[in-house]
């Protein structure tokens, strides 16, 4: 069931359960590079990953000899549930004919102890590993960026959140956010 069908939840609830946004990092290294963030409840699958899609090169070695667009190189860092990474890039098939095909190299971390995310955090606390924890100044900086967004949502001026079907990829408006910039929507 969707959030509004849960017991004890008002059918007219305006509680948002999905967020999609395009943000920029304001520094020289990432100038002009959009970061698309999305998160939601009851999606088709539970997944946390970072997907980096490289830009097209300004001049291709194969403009007239390749039919169709060349897919961009991508790196995907899988954080959960199956930790690992993959690199997808174009390769030329051996021979005299110029024919490019995508190749994917994958690495998955071996599944040792099967702990969920909360169990790993508790274990890290017990052994004193600070790697997954933010310092106070980082937390304050994150809240300073998100507080204006939350204030706008809670101001009462917002409309009813866009609805999406439980078990889906989320609202179509999230896909349009990415497609509007001529980028490919990649389901989770």
């Amino acid at each position: 069931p969707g959030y509004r069908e849960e017991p004890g939840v008002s059918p007219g609830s305006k509680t948002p359960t999905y967020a999609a946004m395009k943000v920029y990092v304001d520094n020289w290294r990432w100038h002009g590079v959009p970061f698309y963030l999305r998160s939601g409840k009851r999606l088709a699958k539970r997944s946390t990953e970072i997907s980096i899609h490289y830009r097209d090169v300004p001049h291709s070695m194969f403009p007239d000899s390749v039919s169709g667009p060349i897919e961009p190189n991508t790196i995907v860092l899988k954080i959960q549930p199956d930790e690992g990474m993959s690199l997808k890039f174009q390769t030329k098939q051996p021979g005299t004919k110029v024919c490019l095909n995508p190749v994917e190299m994958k690495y998955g971390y071996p599944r040792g102890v099967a702990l969920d995310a909360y169990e790993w955090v508790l274990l890290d606390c017990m052994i004193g590993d600070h790697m997954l924890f933010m310092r106070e100044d980082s937390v304050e900086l994150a809240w300073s960026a998100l507080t204006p967004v939350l204030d706008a949502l809670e101001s009462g001026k917002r409309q009813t959140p866009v609805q999406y079907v439980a078990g889906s990829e989320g609202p179509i408006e999230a896909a349009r956010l990415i497609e509007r910039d001529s980028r490919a929507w990649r389901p989770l």
Side-chain angles (χ1 to χ4, degrees), residues 105-175:
M105 296 172 57
K106 292 182 177 182
Y107 174 75
Y109 289 98
R111 301 293 287 179
V113 180
L115 299 177
D116 71 20
Y118 293 111
E119 291 168 330
W120 279 115
V121 169
L122 288 172
L123 180 61
D124 287 344
C125 285
M126 289 188 282
I127 63 174
D129 185 349
H130 296 258
M131 180 79 74
L132 297 177
F133 300 94
M134 295 174 67
R135 292 188 340 215
E136 183 179 356
D137 58 341
S138 296
V139 172
E140 289 174 3
L141 186 61
W143 276 110
S144 71
L146 289 174
T147 298
V149 175
L150 295 172
D151 288 345
L153 285 172
E154 294 172 356
S155 69
K157 297 177 185 174
R158 68 183 170 143
Q159 299 175 357
T160 302
V162 175
Q163 301 297 304
Y164 61 97
V165 177
S168 71
E169 295 292 338
I172 191 67
E173 288 79 359

Side-chain angles (χ1 to χ4, degrees), residues 5 28 45 81:
E5 288 88 38
W28 64 269
K45 71 178 200 177

Side-chain angles (χ1 to χ4, degrees), residues 9-22:
V9 175
S10 167
S13 172
K14 292 186 178 184
T15 300
T17 59
Y18 190 96
M21 61 179 79
K22 177 169 95 173

